[in-house]
Amino acid sequence: MPAEKRFATKYAVNDRGCWVWNAQSSKFRSCSFWFRKERMTAYRASYIMHKGEIPSGYVVRHKCDDPACVNPEHLELGTQKDNCADKVLRNRCNAKAGSAHSNTSLTEKDVLDMRASADSMKTLAAHYGVHYMTVYDIMKRRTWKHI
Ligand SMILES: [Zn+2]
């Protein structure tokens, strides 16, 4: 099957116009896609397919802030300086399906601080402005397993 066709079976469009990768998958979200004999993030493959080559030194970033989104209109090139933010996004994308869509804006540091904290999960949830279950999942290492 051509890569473009294979790609098109992997996402679903949501009400914000985002092409949500692996939307049907109830398992862990995987952002990767085999393209040109290379394993790359799905949004990177999407950019190349729809918009063209990515110049060296550039990374593909999300304008819509949804790391699972592969809509080329929501993608833009950034410089390598943004690489760090990009990496954070990719890590979020590997989180359990569902959590990738919560509106949290936690960073890796927040998560580490949370786990190290002696405060109750309720207190932490209020402090970081996230749902109690978000904190619970972090503490139980159901999400943010990579750190
Ligand atoms: Zn989007």
Side-chain angles (χ1 to χ4, degrees):
M1 209 196 285
E4 285 79 358
K5 255 195 168 160
R6 197 157 43 86
F7 188 87
T9 64
K10 297 265 194 182
Y11 65 81
V13 183
N14 73 8
D15 52 5
R16 288 188 306 163
C18 287
W19 299 4
V20 183
W21 190 249
N22 266 354
Q24 288 91 345
S25 169
S26 58
K27 291 188 185 156
F28 288 93
R29 242 172 232 282
S30 163
C31 297
S32 60
F33 182 73
W34 280 100
F35 185 52
R36 294 180 181 170
K37 296 179 182 146
E38 209 188 312
R39 197 175 182 83
M40 60 175 75
T41 54
Y43 57 84
R44 196 177 160 87
S46 176
Y47 191 96
I48 296 170
M49 253 180 249
H50 300 98
K51 295 205 151 178
E53 298 299 324
I54 299 162
S56 76
Y58 282 84
V59 294
V60 178
R61 307 176 61 209
H62 286 89
K63 285 190 276 190
C64 62
D65 231 16
D66 184 343
C69 177
V70 296
N71 183 344
E73 296 309 315
H74 294 186
L75 301 173
E76 64 181 355
L77 289 179
T79 61
Q80 246 171 1
K81 214 171 58 184
D82 307 316
N83 230 344
C84 188
D86 189 60
K87 200 171 152 210
V88 171
L89 283 176
R90 235 177 299 139
N91 285 337
R92 270 196 225 161
C93 191
N94 287 328
K96 206 174 170 185
S99 64
H101 281 278
S102 63
N103 290 321
T104 63
S105 52
L106 294 172
T107 63
E108 296 193 354
K109 190 183 174 303
D110 292 337
V111 171
L112 291 172
D113 286 349
M114 253 187 219
R115 287 191 182 139
S117 170
D119 290 335
S120 74
M121 291 191 207
K122 267 208 171 102
T123 309
L124 289 171
H127 178 79
Y128 288 97
V130 295
H131 194 270
Y132 173 78
M133 280 312 292
T134 305
V135 180
Y136 184 85
D137 284 343
I138 287 169
M139 293 303 188
K140 295 285 174 195
R141 293 184 183 271
R142 289 183 186 166
T143 52
W144 293 87
K145 287 192 198 181
H146 60 288
I147 53 170

